[in-house]
Amino acid sequence: MPTRSHYPEGVPCWVDLAASDPAVAEDYYARLLGWEFEAMPDPDGGVYSMAHLRGHAVAAVGGQPPGTPPGTPSHWNTYLAADDVTATTTKVAGAGGLVLMDPADVADAGRMAFVADPTGAVVGLWEAGRHIGAGVRGEAGTLVWSELITTEPAVALAFYEKVLGVTSTATPMPDGTYTVLHAGGEDVGGCAEPRVTGVPSHWQAYFAVDDPDGTAERSRAAGGSTLVAPFDVPGAGRIAVLSDPTGGVFSVILPTPPHSEG
C-alpha cells in the first residue's frame, strides 16, 4: 500500500469537499469509493467528516462556508503542502496572487490558508501538524493526481514556482503537449487549459479506480452523473469526469502504467 508519512512542499497532500448537503455527499462517496466517514469535532458547529479507506484518512467532506448562496454546487478543494504557511503566504501578492484566507491553526492538526493564483484558481495551503494529509495515495479509492486547469498556463505556472517551488515539464502527447508538475522529486500533477469554453481556472482532483466504466455506472446508480464518458489517454490511463449528487465535480482514472507513489 503506497502510504505516506510526509509531503514535501508543493505536493498536493489533501482534498476536501465543500458540500451543499454533506449527508448526501457522504452516502454517495461511501457507495462509489468505499469510504467510511468519521465526524470530527468542530468548535464552530459546522460539519467536517474524515473519509477513511482501510484505516487511512484519504479525504474529507464538510459543509459550505457561512454566507454561501443557497443552491451553490459543491466543490472539491485541493491543498498543497507548505513547510511554513505564514512564510508562503507572504510570497503570494508579489507573485500576482491573492490571499483569500489568512493562515490559521486547525487545533493541533495543522495550519492552513487559502490563496488564489493570478488566473483565479483557488488552492489551499497545508502545514502539517498531527494531520499530514492523505495517509495513502495512488491506490484505488484515493487521490492519485491533481490537475491545474487554467486559462493562462504560463502565468499560473510562474506563480506556483515562485511561491512553492513547483516546476513543470512539457510532455509530448498524441494530441499535443501536456504539462507535468514536479515537487519534492515527484510528478505530482498536471496543467492544462480548459477543454470547454467558459470553465474558470480551478484545481481538479483525480481518484484512482480499478474500473472507470464500472465506476461511472455506480455513480449514476448512486445519484451522480457522468460529465465526460470514460475515454483513453495513451500513456496516462482511462479517465472519466463525474459529478456527485450535490454538484461536486471530480475525475477518476485507471492509470496506465500504474502510477508510482513514494
Side-chain angles (χ1 to χ4, degrees):
M1 180 181 290
T3 57
R4 302 292 299 239
S5 59
H6 170 71
Y7 285 94
E9 186 160 83
V11 177
C13 62
W14 187 244
V15 289
D16 60 21
L17 181 72
S20 58
D21 190 328
V24 170
E26 287 181 29
D27 178 71
Y28 170 85
Y29 288 102
R31 295 169 64 182
L32 191 76
L33 299 174
W35 293 350
E36 298 179 347
F37 287 92
E38 175 188 8
M40 307 301 292
D42 188 335
D44 298 324
V47 176
Y48 198 80
S49 296
M50 200 74 73
H52 294 272
L53 189 67
R54 291 180 285 280
H56 295 274
V58 295
V61 170
Q64 294 181 331
T68 301
T72 300
S74 303
H75 67 272
W76 279 99
N77 296 309
T78 294
Y79 295 77
L80 306 181
D83 295 335
D84 183 333
V85 164
T86 299
T88 300
T89 55
T90 63
K91 304 175 186 177
V92 170
L98 181 67
V99 177
L100 302 177
M101 189 191 88
D102 289 329
D105 293 323
V106 184
D108 63 347
R111 192 166 169 77
M112 66 178 287
F114 272 99
V115 304
D117 70 30
T119 72
V122 175
V123 70
L125 304 175
W126 182 254
E127 178 185 337
R130 176 179 50 81
H131 177 66
I132 65 155
V136 59
R137 273 188 51 128
E139 187 167 301
T142 71
L143 184 70
V144 68
W145 194 249
S146 299
E147 191 169 66
L148 172 61
I149 307 297
T150 173
T151 54
E152 299 179 81
V155 173
L157 292 172
F159 171 84
Y160 291 101
E161 182 167 10
K162 186 172 184 179
V163 173
L164 288 160
V166 177
T167 58
S168 60
T169 303
T171 302
M173 298 289 285
D175 58 350
T177 60
Y178 182 77
T179 300
V180 176
L181 306 180
H182 317 288
E186 304 177 41
D187 296 346
V188 298
C191 177
E193 294 186 54
R195 297 169 180 83
V196 179
T197 302
V199 172
S201 299
H202 67 281
W203 282 83
Q204 180 87 348
Y206 283 67
F207 298 108
V209 295
D210 293 329
D211 178 8
D213 297 79
T215 301
E217 291 178 5
R218 291 199 305 278
S219 174
R220 290 190 291 271
S225 58
T226 300
L227 302 183
V228 180
F231 64 100
D232 293 315
V233 177
R238 188 161 177 80
I239 298 170
V241 183
L242 309 177
S243 173
D244 69 39
T246 71
V249 176
F250 62 100
S251 297
V252 295
I253 180 172
L254 172 62
T256 306
H259 193 82
S260 176
E261 289 287 342

